[in-house]
Amino acid sequence: MSTVLPNVTMIAAVGRNGVIGDGLTMPWHLSEDLKFFKRTTMGHPMVMGRRTFDSMGALPGRRSIVITRQTGWSARGVEVAHSLPEALALVAGAEQVFVVGGGEVYRQAMAYAARLLVTEVDQSPDGSVTFPPIDPVDWVETARDEHPGFAWVTYERRG
Ligand SMILES: NC(=O)c1ccc[n+]([C@@H]2O[C@H](COP(=O)([O-])OP(=O)(O)OC[C@H]3O[C@@H](n4cnc5c(N)ncnc54)[C@H](OP(=O)(O)O)[C@@H]3O)[C@@H](O)[C@H]2O)c1
């Protein structure tokens, strides 16, 4: 697909049932995974939807680009874009860019990402927000690091 950008990675923690959140917060607290998220994304720009920004705020040490349809929206410590392509253009020169959610933004970013870092959480929580399906036609699992209660899984785009 011509829109794929080699520097774009999506990073998400996903329940067995595909749930990633209830619309406000994450459905679990996995401190090991929060540390993994921090060390993986540190120093790299992050792209997120406005609702995810509302739930986690601006994280230190990382350039944050927030996507919103609201004209005039702003928040301290973040850059604003009004579409995903606009956000990705802002960070086109970065060696690595992380799309950090949430569900609405992950769905759009599937067409651009070259890599997925998925924490498979061994829970099936209630929640209305889900991760998009990972189609094996497009994605191949290249690494799996098992831990009690979760696994860190890497997918690379085929071809
Ligand atoms: N488990 C995980 O790894 C993980 C990671 C991140 C988030 N989450 C969870 O996911 C949930 C939030 O996800 P969500 O799907 O509700 O929202 P989201 O994707 O974080 O944000 C959606 C918002 O982004 C903006 N947006 C999306 N597409 C746009 C576009 N094409 N152009 C311009 N603006 C656009 C809109 O903001 P405006 O409304 O301002 O226009 C939209 O309301 C929370 O529960 C959070 O905890 C989980």
Side-chain angles (χ1 to χ4, degrees), residues 58-93:
L59 301 179
R62 287 146 284 185
R63 194 176 158 197
S64 293
I65 292 85
V66 178
I67 306 175
T68 177
R69 296 186 179 88
Q70 303 173 54
T71 50
W73 185 92
S74 69
R76 188 189 297 266
V78 303
E79 295 164 61
V80 181
H82 295 98
S83 69
L84 181 59
E86 185 189 329
L88 295 175
L90 286 175
V91 293

PDB file of all heavy atoms in Angstrom, residues 58-93:
ATOM      1  N   ALA A  58      -0.076  15.322  28.588  1.00  0.00           N
ATOM      2  CA  ALA A  58       1.200  15.374  27.862  1.00  0.00           C
ATOM      3  C   ALA A  58       2.253  14.633  28.682  1.00  0.00           C
ATOM      4  O   ALA A  58       2.389  14.877  29.875  1.00  0.00           O
ATOM      5  CB  ALA A  58       1.610  16.821  27.641  1.00  0.00           C
ATOM      6  N   LEU A  59       2.957  13.723  28.052  1.00  0.00           N
ATOM      7  CA  LEU A  59       3.964  12.937  28.760  1.00  0.00           C
ATOM      8  C   LEU A  59       5.339  13.561  28.539  1.00  0.00           C
ATOM      9  O   LEU A  59       5.664  13.981  27.428  1.00  0.00           O
ATOM     10  CB  LEU A  59       3.954  11.483  28.261  1.00  0.00           C
ATOM     11  CG  LEU A  59       2.610  10.770  28.444  1.00  0.00           C
ATOM     12  CD1 LEU A  59       2.682   9.342  27.892  1.00  0.00           C
ATOM     13  CD2 LEU A  59       2.204  10.735  29.906  1.00  0.00           C
ATOM     14  N   PRO A  60       6.150  13.636  29.574  1.00  0.00           N
ATOM     15  CA  PRO A  60       7.444  14.302  29.438  1.00  0.00           C
ATOM     16  C   PRO A  60       8.394  13.544  28.520  1.00  0.00           C
ATOM     17  O   PRO A  60       8.306  12.326  28.385  1.00  0.00           O
ATOM     18  CB  PRO A  60       7.979  14.330  30.877  1.00  0.00           C
ATOM     19  CG  PRO A  60       7.186  13.315  31.629  1.00  0.00           C
ATOM     20  CD  PRO A  60       5.878  13.166  30.937  1.00  0.00           C
ATOM     21  N   GLY A  61       9.310  14.293  27.882  1.00  0.00           N
ATOM     22  CA  GLY A  61      10.382  13.692  27.089  1.00  0.00           C
ATOM     23  C   GLY A  61       9.968  13.239  25.711  1.00  0.00           C
ATOM     24  O   GLY A  61      10.767  12.645  24.995  1.00  0.00           O
ATOM     25  N   ARG A  62       8.723  13.503  25.352  1.00  0.00           N
ATOM     26  CA  ARG A  62       8.229  13.083  24.053  1.00  0.00           C
ATOM     27  C   ARG A  62       7.376  14.191  23.441  1.00  0.00           C
ATOM     28  O   ARG A  62       6.505  14.733  24.109  1.00  0.00           O
ATOM     29  CB  ARG A  62       7.364  11.810  24.169  1.00  0.00           C
ATOM     30  CG  ARG A  62       8.175  10.570  24.437  1.00  0.00           C
ATOM     31  CD  ARG A  62       7.455   9.574  25.308  1.00  0.00           C
ATOM     32  NE  ARG A  62       7.447   9.981  26.709  1.00  0.00           N
ATOM     33  CZ  ARG A  62       6.967   9.254  27.704  1.00  0.00           C
ATOM     34  NH1 ARG A  62       6.428   8.070  27.449  1.00  0.00           N
ATOM     35  NH2 ARG A  62       7.000   9.690  28.948  1.00  0.00           N
ATOM     36  N   ARG A  63       7.651  14.502  22.179  1.00  0.00           N
ATOM     37  CA  ARG A  63       6.826  15.470  21.457  1.00  0.00           C
ATOM     38  C   ARG A  63       5.441  14.845  21.257  1.00  0.00           C
ATOM     39  O   ARG A  63       5.348  13.708  20.788  1.00  0.00           O
ATOM     40  CB  ARG A  63       7.522  15.695  20.115  1.00  0.00           C
ATOM     41  CG  ARG A  63       7.065  16.865  19.331  1.00  0.00           C
ATOM     42  CD  ARG A  63       7.940  16.971  18.071  1.00  0.00           C
ATOM     43  NE  ARG A  63       7.232  17.722  17.066  1.00  0.00           N
ATOM     44  CZ  ARG A  63       7.542  17.727  15.782  1.00  0.00           C
ATOM     45  NH1 ARG A  63       8.565  17.009  15.336  1.00  0.00           N
ATOM     46  NH2 ARG A  63       6.830  18.447  14.944  1.00  0.00           N
ATOM     47  N   SER A  64       4.383  15.561  21.642  1.00  0.00           N
ATOM     48  CA  SER A  64       3.027  15.019  21.509  1.00  0.00           C
ATOM     49  C   SER A  64       2.239  15.806  20.474  1.00  0.00           C
ATOM     50  O   SER A  64       2.152  17.034  20.558  1.00  0.00           O
ATOM     51  CB  SER A  64       2.279  15.103  22.843  1.00  0.00           C
ATOM     52  OG  SER A  64       2.868  14.245  23.789  1.00  0.00           O
ATOM     53  N   ILE A  65       1.672  15.086  19.506  1.00  0.00           N
ATOM     54  CA  ILE A  65       0.794  15.702  18.513  1.00  0.00           C
ATOM     55  C   ILE A  65      -0.607  15.170  18.754  1.00  0.00           C
ATOM     56  O   ILE A  65      -0.830  13.949  18.742  1.00  0.00           O
ATOM     57  CB  ILE A  65       1.245  15.393  17.062  1.00  0.00           C
ATOM     58  CG1 ILE A  65       2.573  16.082  16.750  1.00  0.00           C
ATOM     59  CG2 ILE A  65       0.226  15.920  16.059  1.00  0.00           C
ATOM     60  CD1 ILE A  65       3.798  15.440  17.110  1.00  0.00           C
ATOM     61  N   VAL A  66      -1.548  16.059  19.019  1.00  0.00           N
ATOM     62  CA  VAL A  66      -2.927  15.677  19.324  1.00  0.00           C
ATOM     63  C   VAL A  66      -3.798  16.008  18.115  1.00  0.00           C
ATOM     64  O   VAL A  66      -3.751  17.127  17.587  1.00  0.00           O
ATOM     65  CB  VAL A  66      -3.440  16.414  20.576  1.00  0.00           C
ATOM     66  CG1 VAL A  66      -4.894  16.050  20.855  1.00  0.00           C
ATOM     67  CG2 VAL A  66      -2.569  16.079  21.787  1.00  0.00           C
ATOM     68  N   ILE A  67      -4.599  15.028  17.695  1.00  0.00           N
ATOM     69  CA  ILE A  67      -5.508  15.224  16.563  1.00  0.00           C
ATOM     70  C   ILE A  67      -6.886  15.600  17.094  1.00  0.00           C
ATOM     71  O   ILE A  67      -7.418  14.924  17.986  1.00  0.00           O
ATOM     72  CB  ILE A  67      -5.633  13.939  15.724  1.00  0.00           C
ATOM     73  CG1 ILE A  67      -4.255  13.434  15.305  1.00  0.00           C
ATOM     74  CG2 ILE A  67      -6.485  14.163  14.501  1.00  0.00           C
ATOM     75  CD1 ILE A  67      -4.329  12.108  14.572  1.00  0.00           C
ATOM     76  N   THR A  68      -7.457  16.661  16.537  1.00  0.00           N
ATOM     77  CA  THR A  68      -8.812  17.071  16.910  1.00  0.00           C
ATOM     78  C   THR A  68      -9.500  17.680  15.693  1.00  0.00           C
ATOM     79  O   THR A  68      -8.831  18.211  14.799  1.00  0.00           O
ATOM     80  CB  THR A  68      -8.778  18.100  18.068  1.00  0.00           C
ATOM     81  OG1 THR A  68     -10.108  18.525  18.361  1.00  0.00           O
ATOM     82  CG2 THR A  68      -7.941  19.324  17.720  1.00  0.00           C
ATOM     83  N   ARG A  69     -10.815  17.597  15.681  1.00  0.00           N
ATOM     84  CA  ARG A  69     -11.587  18.285  14.635  1.00  0.00           C
ATOM     85  C   ARG A  69     -11.991  19.688  15.082  1.00  0.00           C
ATOM     86  O   ARG A  69     -12.558  20.441  14.306  1.00  0.00           O
ATOM     87  CB  ARG A  69     -12.835  17.474  14.265  1.00  0.00           C
ATOM     88  CG  ARG A  69     -12.518  16.118  13.657  1.00  0.00           C
ATOM     89  CD  ARG A  69     -13.759  15.375  13.147  1.00  0.00           C
ATOM     90  NE  ARG A  69     -13.371  14.107  12.553  1.00  0.00           N
ATOM     91  CZ  ARG A  69     -13.250  12.967  13.242  1.00  0.00           C
ATOM     92  NH1 ARG A  69     -13.535  12.933  14.518  1.00  0.00           N
ATOM     93  NH2 ARG A  69     -12.850  11.848  12.635  1.00  0.00           N
ATOM     94  N   GLN A  70     -11.712  20.005  16.340  1.00  0.00           N
ATOM     95  CA  GLN A  70     -12.122  21.307  16.887  1.00  0.00           C
ATOM     96  C   GLN A  70     -11.138  22.388  16.461  1.00  0.00           C
ATOM     97  O   GLN A  70      -9.945  22.278  16.736  1.00  0.00           O
ATOM     98  CB  GLN A  70     -12.145  21.245  18.418  1.00  0.00           C
ATOM     99  CG  GLN A  70     -13.033  20.165  19.001  1.00  0.00           C
ATOM    100  CD  GLN A  70     -12.861  20.051  20.503  1.00  0.00           C
ATOM    101  OE1 GLN A  70     -12.993  21.027  21.230  1.00  0.00           O
ATOM    102  NE2 GLN A  70     -12.531  18.854  20.965  1.00  0.00           N
ATOM    103  N   THR A  71     -11.665  23.418  15.821  1.00  0.00           N
ATOM    104  CA  THR A  71     -10.784  24.540  15.484  1.00  0.00           C
ATOM    105  C   THR A  71     -10.550  25.332  16.775  1.00  0.00           C
ATOM    106  O   THR A  71     -11.446  25.498  17.596  1.00  0.00           O
ATOM    107  CB  THR A  71     -11.425  25.446  14.417  1.00  0.00           C
ATOM    108  OG1 THR A  71     -12.740  25.765  14.838  1.00  0.00           O
ATOM    109  CG2 THR A  71     -11.479  24.765  13.073  1.00  0.00           C
ATOM    110  N   GLY A  72      -9.342  25.774  16.938  1.00  0.00           N
ATOM    111  CA  GLY A  72      -9.034  26.586  18.110  1.00  0.00           C
ATOM    112  C   GLY A  72      -8.697  25.789  19.352  1.00  0.00           C
ATOM    113  O   GLY A  72      -8.395  26.367  20.387  1.00  0.00           O
ATOM    114  N   TRP A  73      -8.743  24.457  19.273  1.00  0.00           N
ATOM    115  CA  TRP A  73      -8.384  23.643  20.456  1.00  0.00           C
ATOM    116  C   TRP A  73      -6.887  23.762  20.690  1.00  0.00           C
ATOM    117  O   TRP A  73      -6.086  23.742  19.746  1.00  0.00           O
ATOM    118  CB  TRP A  73      -8.766  22.188  20.208  1.00  0.00           C
ATOM    119  CG  TRP A  73      -8.553  21.291  21.402  1.00  0.00           C
ATOM    120  CD1 TRP A  73      -9.465  20.980  22.357  1.00  0.00           C
ATOM    121  CD2 TRP A  73      -7.342  20.587  21.754  1.00  0.00           C
ATOM    122  NE1 TRP A  73      -8.901  20.136  23.297  1.00  0.00           N
ATOM    123  CE2 TRP A  73      -7.600  19.885  22.955  1.00  0.00           C
ATOM    124  CE3 TRP A  73      -6.067  20.501  21.196  1.00  0.00           C
ATOM    125  CZ2 TRP A  73      -6.635  19.093  23.576  1.00  0.00           C
ATOM    126  CZ3 TRP A  73      -5.110  19.721  21.824  1.00  0.00           C
ATOM    127  CH2 TRP A  73      -5.405  19.025  23.001  1.00  0.00           C
ATOM    128  N   SER A  74      -6.485  23.876  21.933  1.00  0.00           N
ATOM    129  CA  SER A  74      -5.064  23.856  22.253  1.00  0.00           C
ATOM    130  C   SER A  74      -4.884  23.351  23.681  1.00  0.00           C
ATOM    131  O   SER A  74      -5.846  23.349  24.474  1.00  0.00           O
ATOM    132  CB  SER A  74      -4.435  25.251  22.105  1.00  0.00           C
ATOM    133  OG  SER A  74      -4.927  26.112  23.105  1.00  0.00           O
ATOM    134  N   ALA A  75      -3.687  22.914  23.987  1.00  0.00           N
ATOM    135  CA  ALA A  75      -3.362  22.484  25.346  1.00  0.00           C
ATOM    136  C   ALA A  75      -1.870  22.680  25.537  1.00  0.00           C
ATOM    137  O   ALA A  75      -1.082  22.584  24.580  1.00  0.00           O
ATOM    138  CB  ALA A  75      -3.747  21.018  25.565  1.00  0.00           C
ATOM    139  N   ARG A  76      -1.504  22.936  26.772  1.00  0.00           N
ATOM    140  CA  ARG A  76      -0.102  23.190  27.083  1.00  0.00           C
ATOM    141  C   ARG A  76       0.757  21.957  26.779  1.00  0.00           C
ATOM    142  O   ARG A  76       0.391  20.835  27.137  1.00  0.00           O
ATOM    143  CB  ARG A  76       0.008  23.530  28.568  1.00  0.00           C
ATOM    144  CG  ARG A  76       1.379  24.003  29.001  1.00  0.00           C
ATOM    145  CD  ARG A  76       1.428  24.103  30.517  1.00  0.00           C
ATOM    146  NE  ARG A  76       0.477  25.100  31.016  1.00  0.00           N
ATOM    147  CZ  ARG A  76       0.789  26.368  31.255  1.00  0.00           C
ATOM    148  NH1 ARG A  76       2.010  26.789  31.053  1.00  0.00           N
ATOM    149  NH2 ARG A  76      -0.117  27.208  31.714  1.00  0.00           N
ATOM    150  N   GLY A  77       1.869  22.194  26.108  1.00  0.00           N
ATOM    151  CA  GLY A  77       2.855  21.130  25.920  1.00  0.00           C
ATOM    152  C   GLY A  77       2.598  20.201  24.753  1.00  0.00           C
ATOM    153  O   GLY A  77       3.314  19.204  24.615  1.00  0.00           O
ATOM    154  N   VAL A  78       1.577  20.491  23.919  1.00  0.00           N
ATOM    155  CA  VAL A  78       1.313  19.607  22.776  1.00  0.00           C
ATOM    156  C   VAL A  78       1.162  20.434  21.501  1.00  0.00           C
ATOM    157  O   VAL A  78       0.859  21.626  21.548  1.00  0.00           O
ATOM    158  CB  VAL A  78       0.038  18.754  22.980  1.00  0.00           C
ATOM    159  CG1 VAL A  78       0.134  17.937  24.259  1.00  0.00           C
ATOM    160  CG2 VAL A  78      -1.228  19.599  22.962  1.00  0.00           C
ATOM    161  N   GLU A  79       1.399  19.758  20.363  1.00  0.00           N
ATOM    162  CA  GLU A  79       1.102  20.348  19.059  1.00  0.00           C
ATOM    163  C   GLU A  79      -0.239  19.803  18.595  1.00  0.00           C
ATOM    164  O   GLU A  79      -0.634  18.699  18.988  1.00  0.00           O
ATOM    165  CB  GLU A  79       2.200  19.973  18.061  1.00  0.00           C
ATOM    166  CG  GLU A  79       3.550  20.568  18.430  1.00  0.00           C
ATOM    167  CD  GLU A  79       4.689  19.890  17.668  1.00  0.00           C
ATOM    168  OE1 GLU A  79       4.708  19.934  16.436  1.00  0.00           O
ATOM    169  OE2 GLU A  79       5.557  19.306  18.346  1.00  0.00           O
ATOM    170  N   VAL A  80      -0.930  20.552  17.750  1.00  0.00           N
ATOM    171  CA  VAL A  80      -2.279  20.185  17.312  1.00  0.00           C
ATOM    172  C   VAL A  80      -2.277  19.929  15.808  1.00  0.00           C
ATOM    173  O   VAL A  80      -1.629  20.659  15.053  1.00  0.00           O
ATOM    174  CB  VAL A  80      -3.281  21.314  17.649  1.00  0.00           C
ATOM    175  CG1 VAL A  80      -4.689  20.923  17.217  1.00  0.00           C
ATOM    176  CG2 VAL A  80      -3.244  21.632  19.138  1.00  0.00           C
ATOM    177  N   ALA A  81      -2.985  18.872  15.390  1.00  0.00           N
ATOM    178  CA  ALA A  81      -3.216  18.613  13.966  1.00  0.00           C
ATOM    179  C   ALA A  81      -4.706  18.325  13.787  1.00  0.00           C
ATOM    180  O   ALA A  81      -5.374  17.909  14.738  1.00  0.00           O
ATOM    181  CB  ALA A  81      -2.370  17.442  13.484  1.00  0.00           C
ATOM    182  N   HIS A  82      -5.197  18.536  12.578  1.00  0.00           N
ATOM    183  CA  HIS A  82      -6.632  18.362  12.342  1.00  0.00           C
ATOM    184  C   HIS A  82      -6.951  17.163  11.458  1.00  0.00           C
ATOM    185  O   HIS A  82      -8.084  16.995  11.007  1.00  0.00           O
ATOM    186  CB  HIS A  82      -7.239  19.670  11.819  1.00  0.00           C
ATOM    187  CG  HIS A  82      -7.170  20.758  12.852  1.00  0.00           C
ATOM    188  ND1 HIS A  82      -6.164  21.712  12.855  1.00  0.00           N
ATOM    189  CD2 HIS A  82      -7.909  20.992  13.964  1.00  0.00           C
ATOM    190  CE1 HIS A  82      -6.321  22.498  13.917  1.00  0.00           C
ATOM    191  NE2 HIS A  82      -7.364  22.082  14.601  1.00  0.00           N
ATOM    192  N   SER A  83      -5.950  16.337  11.225  1.00  0.00           N
ATOM    193  CA  SER A  83      -6.167  15.048  10.560  1.00  0.00           C
ATOM    194  C   SER A  83      -4.951  14.185  10.862  1.00  0.00           C
ATOM    195  O   SER A  83      -3.896  14.708  11.256  1.00  0.00           O
ATOM    196  CB  SER A  83      -6.311  15.213   9.036  1.00  0.00           C
ATOM    197  OG  SER A  83      -5.056  15.591   8.484  1.00  0.00           O
ATOM    198  N   LEU A  84      -5.087  12.883  10.648  1.00  0.00           N
ATOM    199  CA  LEU A  84      -3.930  12.003  10.872  1.00  0.00           C
ATOM    200  C   LEU A  84      -2.808  12.300   9.862  1.00  0.00           C
ATOM    201  O   LEU A  84      -1.642  12.412  10.272  1.00  0.00           O
ATOM    202  CB  LEU A  84      -4.367  10.536  10.824  1.00  0.00           C
ATOM    203  CG  LEU A  84      -3.256   9.534  11.070  1.00  0.00           C
ATOM    204  CD1 LEU A  84      -2.592   9.716  12.438  1.00  0.00           C
ATOM    205  CD2 LEU A  84      -3.790   8.105  10.936  1.00  0.00           C
ATOM    206  N   PRO A  85      -3.109  12.452   8.566  1.00  0.00           N
ATOM    207  CA  PRO A  85      -2.016  12.785   7.638  1.00  0.00           C
ATOM    208  C   PRO A  85      -1.296  14.082   8.019  1.00  0.00           C
ATOM    209  O   PRO A  85      -0.068  14.173   7.896  1.00  0.00           O
ATOM    210  CB  PRO A  85      -2.719  12.925   6.277  1.00  0.00           C
ATOM    211  CG  PRO A  85      -3.936  12.066   6.401  1.00  0.00           C
ATOM    212  CD  PRO A  85      -4.365  12.178   7.838  1.00  0.00           C
ATOM    213  N   GLU A  86      -2.058  15.072   8.515  1.00  0.00           N
ATOM    214  CA  GLU A  86      -1.410  16.324   8.941  1.00  0.00           C
ATOM    215  C   GLU A  86      -0.479  16.044  10.127  1.00  0.00           C
ATOM    216  O   GLU A  86       0.647  16.559  10.177  1.00  0.00           O
ATOM    217  CB  GLU A  86      -2.476  17.350   9.326  1.00  0.00           C
ATOM    218  CG  GLU A  86      -1.894  18.715   9.667  1.00  0.00           C
ATOM    219  CD  GLU A  86      -2.934  19.666  10.256  1.00  0.00           C
ATOM    220  OE1 GLU A  86      -4.129  19.574   9.916  1.00  0.00           O
ATOM    221  OE2 GLU A  86      -2.535  20.506  11.094  1.00  0.00           O
ATOM    222  N   ALA A  87      -0.924  15.231  11.067  1.00  0.00           N
ATOM    223  CA  ALA A  87      -0.085  14.898  12.223  1.00  0.00           C
ATOM    224  C   ALA A  87       1.177  14.166  11.771  1.00  0.00           C
ATOM    225  O   ALA A  87       2.287  14.479  12.225  1.00  0.00           O
ATOM    226  CB  ALA A  87      -0.873  14.025  13.211  1.00  0.00           C
ATOM    227  N   LEU A  88       1.025  13.204  10.876  1.00  0.00           N
ATOM    228  CA  LEU A  88       2.185  12.418  10.435  1.00  0.00           C
ATOM    229  C   LEU A  88       3.146  13.281   9.612  1.00  0.00           C
ATOM    230  O   LEU A  88       4.365  13.068   9.655  1.00  0.00           O
ATOM    231  CB  LEU A  88       1.724  11.184   9.647  1.00  0.00           C
ATOM    232  CG  LEU A  88       0.930  10.162  10.482  1.00  0.00           C
ATOM    233  CD1 LEU A  88       0.410   9.030   9.599  1.00  0.00           C
ATOM    234  CD2 LEU A  88       1.776   9.606  11.634  1.00  0.00           C
ATOM    235  N   ALA A  89       2.618  14.276   8.903  1.00  0.00           N
ATOM    236  CA  ALA A  89       3.491  15.185   8.147  1.00  0.00           C
ATOM    237  C   ALA A  89       4.349  16.017   9.096  1.00  0.00           C
ATOM    238  O   ALA A  89       5.517  16.314   8.797  1.00  0.00           O
ATOM    239  CB  ALA A  89       2.652  16.087   7.239  1.00  0.00           C
ATOM    240  N   LEU A  90       3.789  16.374  10.246  1.00  0.00           N
ATOM    241  CA  LEU A  90       4.545  17.173  11.225  1.00  0.00           C
ATOM    242  C   LEU A  90       5.770  16.421  11.743  1.00  0.00           C
ATOM    243  O   LEU A  90       6.743  17.032  12.166  1.00  0.00           O
ATOM    244  CB  LEU A  90       3.651  17.544  12.421  1.00  0.00           C
ATOM    245  CG  LEU A  90       2.603  18.625  12.207  1.00  0.00           C
ATOM    246  CD1 LEU A  90       1.734  18.758  13.456  1.00  0.00           C
ATOM    247  CD2 LEU A  90       3.269  19.959  11.883  1.00  0.00           C
ATOM    248  N   VAL A  91       5.701  15.092  11.738  1.00  0.00           N
ATOM    249  CA  VAL A  91       6.793  14.289  12.314  1.00  0.00           C
ATOM    250  C   VAL A  91       7.468  13.418  11.248  1.00  0.00           C
ATOM    251  O   VAL A  91       8.113  12.420  11.565  1.00  0.00           O
ATOM    252  CB  VAL A  91       6.263  13.409  13.475  1.00  0.00           C
ATOM    253  CG1 VAL A  91       5.833  14.288  14.644  1.00  0.00           C
ATOM    254  CG2 VAL A  91       5.098  12.524  13.032  1.00  0.00           C
ATOM    255  N   ALA A  92       7.330  13.852   9.985  1.00  0.00           N
ATOM    256  CA  ALA A  92       7.842  13.033   8.875  1.00  0.00           C
ATOM    257  C   ALA A  92       9.343  12.818   8.964  1.00  0.00           C
ATOM    258  O   ALA A  92       9.847  11.794   8.504  1.00  0.00           O
ATOM    259  CB  ALA A  92       7.479  13.691   7.542  1.00  0.00           C
ATOM    260  N   GLY A  93      10.067  13.765   9.562  1.00  0.00           N
ATOM    261  CA  GLY A  93      11.524  13.636   9.623  1.00  0.00           C
ATOM    262  C   GLY A  93      12.022  12.777  10.767  1.00  0.00           C
ATOM    263  O   GLY A  93      13.218  12.506  10.860  1.00  0.00           O
TER     264      GLY A  93
END
